[in-house]
Amino acid sequence: MKQEITVALAGNPNSGKTSLFNALTGLNHKVSNFPGTTVEKKIGYSKLNAETRAQIIDLPGTYSLYPKSADELVTYDILRNKAETNFPDLVLFIADASNLKRNLLLLTQVADLGVPVILALNMVDLAERKGVFYELDILAKELGIPVVSINARNKEGISKIKNLLLDESKHKKVTYFNINQVDQNLLNEIGEITDKKNPYAALQYAINAGVYLNNKAKQINAAFEKYNFNPKQFQELEILQRYKVIDEAVRLSRRQKTNHVIKNITQKADVILTHRIWGLVIFLSLLFLVFQAIFSWSAYPMDLVEMGFAWLSETIEKSLPDGVLNDLLVHGVVAGLSGVIIFLPQIIILFAFIAVLEDVGYMARVGFIMDRIMRPFGMNGKSIVPLISGMACAVPSIMASRSIENKKERLITILVTPLMSCSARLPVYTLLIGMLVPETAKWGPFNVHGVVLMAMYLLGFIAALASAAVFKLFVKTKGSAYFIMELPGYKLPVWNNLLITLYEKGSAFVVGAGKIIVAVSVILWAFASFGPRGNMRAIDQKYATLAMSADATVSSEELAAQKSAERLQASYAGEFGKWIEPAIKPLGFDWKMGIALLTSLAAREVFVGTMSTIYSVGGGAEGDDLNTIKQKMMAEKNEKGEPLYSIATILSLMVFYAFAMQCMSTLSIVKAETKSWKWPIVQFVYMTALAYVSSLIVFNIFS
Amino acid sequence: MKLSELKFNQIATVKAVHGEELSLKLFEMGLLPGEEVELENIAPFGDPIAIRVGEYKMCLRLSDANCIDINVK
């Protein structure tokens, strides 16, 4: 036996695959992306005995090998290609015993690709509660493969699996579907085109190639036509025949204690949770709770992160000699990093809620409840998860849209999700709302500040729905718009799985979004730090002389702040602001705000930091400083001597930040998910246009 | 009778599914001729519906349920 065997873990969604993967590998796994996709690829290692370990690849859950969604396609891609480095020696198939028949369909398809399969029967306890149990010997004999019963949640049966993985004599290749009923000449031809020896694998690849993989599609279609072969009819026949084999195996091994189906806890819970009044009330209350938690629980950890970075930048600033490197590290790299990590607490809290709701089975019900509402907008019930997550960060939300099978509905969801007000907009809103109304103002029992903030979130949601309705008219992709989804039984969450998921999602966010934000921050730092040669030097000289003259009325700190303000104004970023001013003047913005619009491209919250630099407020943007910026901005006058930040300008800015696409990370994830430049460009253009027009309207109404 | 017309507490078996794409997806999900179905929940706005298919629960839109012929037991 070799030292390492490659095992693919496959199964239907909701079959307990994640629990089994975690039970086998613990934290000894890494998450990367499948090449060319953003679908997470989880590879873990499990020690089988002293000499051998198994490399375990977690395949996304799917119902069949004719993939219908982006994540299902990955499973197929791994299993179809024997030349692939990750092609498994063996498939460990996990099936839900309480719903065995449907689970076994995929197993028979996987086995027919010519890979040995072993079956792990999970959730035997659930089946027993329904009065059902299986004679494992008979099931194994009928299916022709080894079968073990496990309980992945309690890590029961793991050693039985390990023994089976080690025992090569039990790894058997079996076939369930008789491919010889298909025209032999067609099979030969398809085999040549696809370069596959296994006729079933070849035919299946050919069928999928027509739908998903463009290479050789023409040749394949010609062959299908030549032999009068209808792939859809074939798939139907294939599925029905497979179920015949499965029915027989299940019938012979299944023992039922009671004859009628007992209404279980899930059904009792669903009567309330999907009730036409209570269902909605519970969903909205949960949403409110999540919303509250994101903003109240995260305050303390966010302060900690902020303090940590303040300390870090101070330390670097002091320990390195003055100069470009120091400046780059502090104002480019560290500032960019802190801009990412500051949102980690909110994102972790949001993910925790979503993961728990998903794990217990509630998220599927949210899709069920919301489908009717989302439909007129060209989306479906599954779109609600990305939209809600969008309130924390659009990047992971767009990844979450993968489960939407219909391409059009998925694309629309991706396009409108960034309109949901994410946490990066919060500091901007906070500053601007603070300039509109005092923090203590009340409308009856409500804090005005909070009401305005709520209105901004609502505005984002309405804009998302409205844009979706427009896209529905223009986006043309084929694919039928069904909404067929399993509603899994309710279960208690597995806390171990939750922690592992949070760890994975958190690190994926930091690494994924972090790379881009840091890169963009460094570029923008360069724009803001360098300018047309002469200007910068003149400023440096002016302040050098001023410092020499040592005017007692101006402290050196104030001098330094004024200097950096002047430098920024003279920099390329400042030039950009002046260049763009004519375009943004109708919105009530001046060139200083133009600079902030540019720097916000790294991340929206950079607005606050840029404003503090422009108005030469030393240090960060916390506490007193925030008030100082507010006061300085409010004291600013336009050429007519009126306050520059009138109500009209502030509202206009808020609307602009609500709608504009100012996030490079989001654009790059959209490019990765849609595999084209077209959609990120469309998204950038439409959101910017929407922001511009809305701001224009708002400014003109209020001024 | 159509699946979309099924009432609570009625048990039926699937007779046929119309529409190529839809029938493929439904067959894969275990909703095939001969399988037992039962209406379990209706979403707050009357659509979609949740049904028991054999041993598990799934949901689908009324428009799709309308393409499924059933026999009530």
Side-chain angles (χ1 to χ4, degrees):
Chain A
M1 179 140 214
K2 38 184 171 166
Q3 297 301 95
E4 181 169 297
I5 58 168
T6 302
V7 178
L9 180 58
N12 284 181
N14 308 309
S15 57
K17 218 159 50 59
T18 309
S19 293
L20 178 56
F21 183 80
N22 289 341
L24 279 167
T25 67
L27 262 181
N28 187 12
H29 71 264
K30 54 174 188 276
V31 184
S32 57
N33 287 346
F34 283 105
T37 69
T38 49
V39 175
E40 276 169 9
K41 173 185 186 177
K42 290 208 291 190
I43 292 190
Y45 297 93
S46 184
K47 205 172 167 202
L48 301 180
N49 64 17
E51 296 98 50
T52 318
R53 72 169 186 173
Q55 182 197 44
I56 298 177
I57 306 168
D58 188 23
L59 301 178
T62 173
Y63 294 106
S64 98
L65 283 186
Y66 294 105
K68 309 243 176 330
S69 67
D71 44 1
E72 290 183 353
L73 188 59
V74 168
T75 300
Y76 175 67
D77 266 348
I78 290 278
L79 292 176
R80 76 175 164 82
N81 191 357
K82 287 203 175 172
E84 159 98 38
T85 42
N86 287 316
F87 188 80
D89 299 309
L90 177 75
V91 169
L92 171 58
F93 193 94
I94 180 164
D96 172 0
S98 70
N99 178 21
L100 190 56
K101 250 164 54 178
R102 195 204 63 207
N103 276 256
L104 289 182
L105 174 72
L106 177 65
L107 180 142
T108 66
Q109 284 181 327
V110 170
D112 282 356
L113 290 179
V115 207
V117 181
I118 63 176
L119 171 61
L121 209 53
N122 195 21
M123 306 191 198
V124 177
D125 50 338
L126 265 178
E128 272 172 17
R129 237 180 282 156
K130 289 186 187 170
V132 174
F133 68 99
Y134 289 92
E135 306 260 13
L136 297 188
D137 308 346
I138 300 177
L139 189 62
K141 190 174 137 259
E142 289 300 314
L143 292 173
I145 54 170
V147 181
V148 286
S149 80
I150 61 163
N151 186 336
R153 292 164 72 85
N154 308 335
K155 302 186 181 182
E156 285 166 28
I158 301 302
S159 57
K160 283 189 278 181
I161 289 181
K162 288 186 175 179
N163 289 336
L164 267 180
L165 293 179
L166 279 168
D167 189 351
E168 221 169 335
S169 70
K170 294 203 170 130
H171 300 176
K172 289 195 188 107
K173 290 183 183 175
V174 283
T175 53
Y176 296 99
F177 176 72
N178 180 9
I179 192 70
N180 292 325
Q181 52 193 309
V182 180
D183 189 333
Q184 195 59 46
N185 295 323
L186 171 68
L187 289 180
N188 291 341
E189 208 160 300
I190 291 293
E192 263 170 45
I193 298 172
T194 58
D195 199 22
K196 281 185 191 300
K197 288 202 187 75
N198 177 329
Y200 174 72
L203 188 61
Q204 194 188 43
Y205 180 62
I207 290 172
N208 285 328
V211 187
Y212 292 96
L213 317 150
N214 285 325
N215 37 336
K216 296 181 178 171
K218 253 191 192 156
Q219 264 177 293
I220 289 164
N221 282 335
F224 283 170
E225 259 174 49
K226 186 170 154 196
Y227 293 98
N228 207 3
F229 175 85
N230 180 336
K232 290 265 157 33
Q233 263 173 21
F234 168 77
Q235 284 179 61
E236 253 188 60
L237 175 101
E238 182 198 325
I239 294 170
L240 291 177
Q241 290 197 1
R242 286 184 188 283
Y243 270 118
K244 258 189 204 147
V245 178
I246 293 165
D247 272 344
E248 186 65 5
V250 167
R251 188 179 63 82
L252 289 170
S253 56
R254 180 187 163 112
R255 303 285 174 264
Q256 175 115 31
K257 281 179 191 155
T258 45
N259 261 333
H260 73 277
V261 182
I262 309 158
K263 288 275 174 251
N264 49 19
I265 304 167
T266 294
Q267 183 47 25
K268 281 181 192 151
D270 267 343
V271 169
I272 299 164
L273 291 174
T274 66
H275 186 267
R276 64 196 163 93
I277 294 162
W278 296 121
L280 288 174
V281 169
I282 291 168
F283 171 57
L284 290 176
S285 318
L286 266 172
L287 207 59
F288 184 73
L289 179 73
V290 172
F291 198 72
Q292 275 292 309
I294 290 176
F295 295 112
S296 55
W297 300 356
S298 63
Y300 184 67
M302 283 173 92
D303 282 350
L304 275 185
V305 172
E306 191 137 31
M307 273 158 53
F309 274 101
W311 173 85
L312 183 66
S313 64
E314 206 169 302
T315 314
I316 296 177
E317 202 159 12
K318 277 185 189 145
S319 52
L320 280 176
D322 275 353
V324 176
L325 180 68
N326 185 327
D327 207 36
L328 168 68
L329 283 178
V330 173
H331 297 289
V333 178
V334 175
L337 266 181
S338 79
V340 182
I341 310 234
I342 189 82
F343 294 116
L344 198 58
Q346 290 190 336
I347 284 170
I348 293 282
I349 291 171
L350 181 81
F351 278 150
F353 270 101
I354 290 179
V356 169
L357 293 179
E358 191 104 53
D359 212 16
V360 299
Y362 183 71
M363 264 316 179
R365 272 71 185 182
V366 173
F368 176 65
I369 291 173
M370 296 300 289
D371 179 62
R372 186 68 192 85
I373 300 174
M374 306 307 285
R375 223 182 296 165
F377 304 103
M379 296 186 277
N380 76 32
K382 289 179 185 171
S383 308
I384 202 77
V385 176
L387 289 181
I388 294 174
S389 326
M391 294 190 309
C393 177
V395 174
S397 319
I398 284 168
M399 293 191 212
S401 72
R402 268 176 223 144
S403 61
I404 302 172
E405 286 131 344
N406 181 269
K407 283 186 179 169
K408 178 172 175 173
E409 291 173 335
R410 173 159 181 246
L411 185 60
I412 293 177
T413 308
I414 289 175
L415 287 174
V416 304
T417 294
L419 283 172
M420 299 296 289
S421 276
C422 64
S423 32
R425 282 148 166 133
L426 192 63
V428 183
Y429 291 163
T430 309
L431 173 66
L432 293 174
I433 296 174
M435 291 168 67
L436 275 183
V437 278
E439 222 156 306
T440 46
K442 297 251 178 195
W443 268 343
F446 300 107
N447 178 308
V448 181
H449 205 109
V451 174
V452 179
L453 191 62
M454 191 77 186
M456 291 310 292
Y457 279 86
L458 205 62
L459 185 69
F461 181 61
I462 292 168
L465 287 188
S467 311
V470 174
F471 278 121
K472 191 186 167 194
L473 302 176
F474 293 107
V475 174
K476 297 264 181 289
T477 46
K478 34 175 215 171
S480 47
Y482 50 70
F483 174 69
I484 293 165
M485 185 173 65
E486 179 174 358
L487 296 175
Y490 290 108
K491 298 179 204 78
L492 287 172
V494 183
W495 300 109
N496 186 35
N497 287 353
L498 176 71
L499 290 178
I500 292 176
T501 307
L502 289 183
Y503 167 76
E504 286 168 4
K505 298 259 182 187
S507 45
F509 169 77
V510 170
V511 175
K515 271 192 293 202
I516 298 151
I517 294 186
V518 170
V520 176
S521 302
V522 169
I523 294 169
L524 289 172
W525 163 84
F527 271 118
S529 310
F530 302 104
R533 263 281 161 209
N535 298 353
M536 288 304 215
R537 202 173 291 159
I539 294 167
D540 287 349
Q541 273 165 5
K542 174 180 153 195
Y543 279 91
T545 6
L546 273 179
M548 291 290 216
S549 68
D551 189 342
T553 54
V554 185
S555 73
S556 64
E557 268 174 36
E558 246 173 83
L559 215 55
Q562 280 172 17
K563 179 182 167 186
S564 57
E566 272 194 47
R567 276 185 64 103
L568 178 59
Q569 294 170 9
S571 69
Y572 289 112
E575 294 284 309
F576 173 84
K578 282 170 206 151
W579 176 74
I580 203 176
E581 190 173 31
I584 56 176
K585 196 138 202 175
L587 312 183
F589 304 166
D590 71 344
W591 62 275
K592 292 177 183 174
M593 291 178 230
I595 301 177
L597 295 187
L598 178 71
T599 55
S600 293
L601 284 176
R604 293 172 173 99
E605 77 281 6
V606 171
F607 175 82
V608 180
T610 305
M611 282 299 167
S612 70
T613 312
I614 294 175
Y615 290 103
S616 58
V617 179
E622 271 308 285
D624 286 346
D625 285 336
L626 194 64
N627 281 326
T628 325
I629 309 172
K630 223 186 281 178
Q631 281 160 14
K632 289 213 176 186
M633 284 168 75
M634 286 167 85
E636 183 89 351
K637 298 272 192 291
N638 67 11
E639 56 267 38
K640 290 180 207 150
E642 295 156 346
L644 177 65
Y645 288 91
S646 60
I647 288 176
T649 296
I650 296 171
L651 288 176
S652 170
L653 257 181
M654 278 166 58
V655 170
F656 194 89
Y657 270 81
F659 294 158
M661 168 42 84
Q662 298 163 297
C663 181
M664 291 299 154
S665 322
T666 302
L667 289 174
S668 82
I669 202 78
V670 171
K671 172 174 181 281
E673 290 287 335
T674 60
K675 297 200 186 86
S676 88
W677 281 106
K678 180 181 170 189
W679 295 113
I681 292 170
V682 167
Q683 192 171 42
F684 182 82
V685 171
Y686 103 83
M687 286 181 67
T688 309
L690 178 65
Y692 190 89
V693 173
S694 312
S695 290
L696 189 67
I697 294 170
V698 167
F699 182 69
N700 280 300
I701 289 176
F702 287 92
S703 62
Chain B
M1 189 165 134
K2 307 281 186 197
L3 178 60
S4 50
E5 298 159 349
L6 193 64
K7 303 212 163 41
F8 285 117
N9 302 318
Q10 280 182 324
I11 293 178
T13 51
V14 176
K15 206 161 80 183
V17 180
H18 304 288
E20 258 181 359
E21 291 279 338
L22 184 69
S23 61
L24 268 184
K25 174 70 182 173
L26 287 171
F27 285 6
E28 280 175 13
M29 299 288 286
L31 191 148
L32 23 118
E35 192 59 83
E36 201 175 87
V37 288
E38 184 181 357
L39 178 65
E40 292 205 326
N41 305 94
I42 299 175
F45 300 94
D47 185 17
I49 56 171
I51 55 169
R52 175 176 67 79
V53 179
E55 298 180 289
Y56 84 104
K57 185 171 191 163
M58 67 169 228
C59 65
L60 76 174
R61 290 178 177 167
L62 280 180
S63 56
D64 295 329
N66 207 30
C67 300
I68 301 167
D69 292 335
I70 52 167
N71 288 322
V72 177
K73 277 188 181 170

